Amino acid sequence: MTITIALDTDSVNNLDLSPAVTVIEELLQEGAIASHEQQLCFDINYPLEPGDPREFSEIPELRLWFVRLDAKYPWVIFLLDWKTGEFARYTAMLVPHQFSAKEGIQYNPEALEIFLMHKIFILGDWLQQQGIPSQSRLKSMAQMLGYELDDGFFAIFS
């Protein structure tokens, strides 16, 4: 089951998180977070001027909205539908990057590493609080971003 959060220009320009808060808080109140892993996607309706070649992750207003969402729910990536590219798009909203016609998105390597480690620590603690096994999930997340984490890494901070 896909859970969709609709974003429009007004929500984005006013940094209004209510479309996301409504959905996420309902899941929290139901105690249903674990059963909705990788089911969340965003339907972004943010029209660009004709001829504007930018991707959504290159629009400062959209990026700021996602930064605010991440500040409120730093574990929200647990809910994102990785198969449809939501994890990659979310990462692009938060990590400096450039687009290459040949190679696609190219993240700033240092920023990506900081983002990943930040998410590993946040998600590791949050998943533990939820009683959800975390190590394989965190390894998968790291692999999505091109990193391999071994078991020894987790032994350091578990």
Side-chain angles (χ1 to χ4, degrees):
M1 174 179 128
T2 299
I3 301 167
T4 303
I5 294 174
L7 292 182
D8 62 20
T9 303
D10 287 339
S11 294
V12 170
N13 290 343
N14 292 310
L15 293 175
D16 176 11
L17 294 180
S18 63
V21 169
T22 301
V23 170
I24 294 168
E25 290 299 324
E26 184 176 319
L27 296 176
L28 287 170
Q29 290 173 2
E30 293 172 0
I33 288 291
S35 62
H36 293 291
E37 181 177 8
Q38 295 190 25
Q39 294 182 358
L40 182 68
C41 66
F42 292 94
D43 178 18
I44 301 173
N45 181 11
Y46 196 87
L48 301 175
E49 294 292 322
D52 189 336
R54 294 179 298 171
E55 298 285 333
F56 282 149
S57 64
E58 296 176 290
I59 300 169
E61 295 83 0
L62 273 169
R63 290 186 80 163
L64 189 58
W65 189 93
F66 278 91
V67 168
R68 182 157 190 243
L69 177 68
D70 194 69
K72 183 162 183 72
Y73 301 110
W75 46 263
V76 77
I77 59 174
F78 173 80
L79 297 174
L80 297 178
D81 186 348
W82 295 8
K83 292 174 218 76
T84 62
E86 286 296 325
F87 177 71
R89 180 165 68 174
Y90 190 84
T91 301
M93 292 292 186
L94 300 176
V95 178
H97 62 278
Q98 295 179 337
F99 284 100
S100 162
K102 292 180 181 177
E103 299 178 31
I105 192 166
Q106 299 293 302
Y107 296 107
N108 173 292
E110 292 84 11
L112 183 62
E113 189 172 324
I114 290 168
F115 171 80
L116 175 62
M117 290 300 109
H118 184 247
K119 290 302 173 191
I120 293 288
F121 296 139
I122 285 173
L123 272 179
D125 290 346
W126 184 82
L127 289 167
Q128 185 176 11
Q129 291 168 2
Q130 305 301 312
I132 301 170
S134 64
Q135 190 166 322
S136 65
R137 286 171 172 85
L138 297 175
K139 282 182 166 186
S140 294
M141 182 181 70
Q143 286 173 342
M144 293 279 294
L145 298 175
Y147 290 85
E148 292 291 328
L149 300 178
D150 63 24
D151 294 341
F153 173 76
F154 293 98
I156 296 171
F157 69 91
S158 302

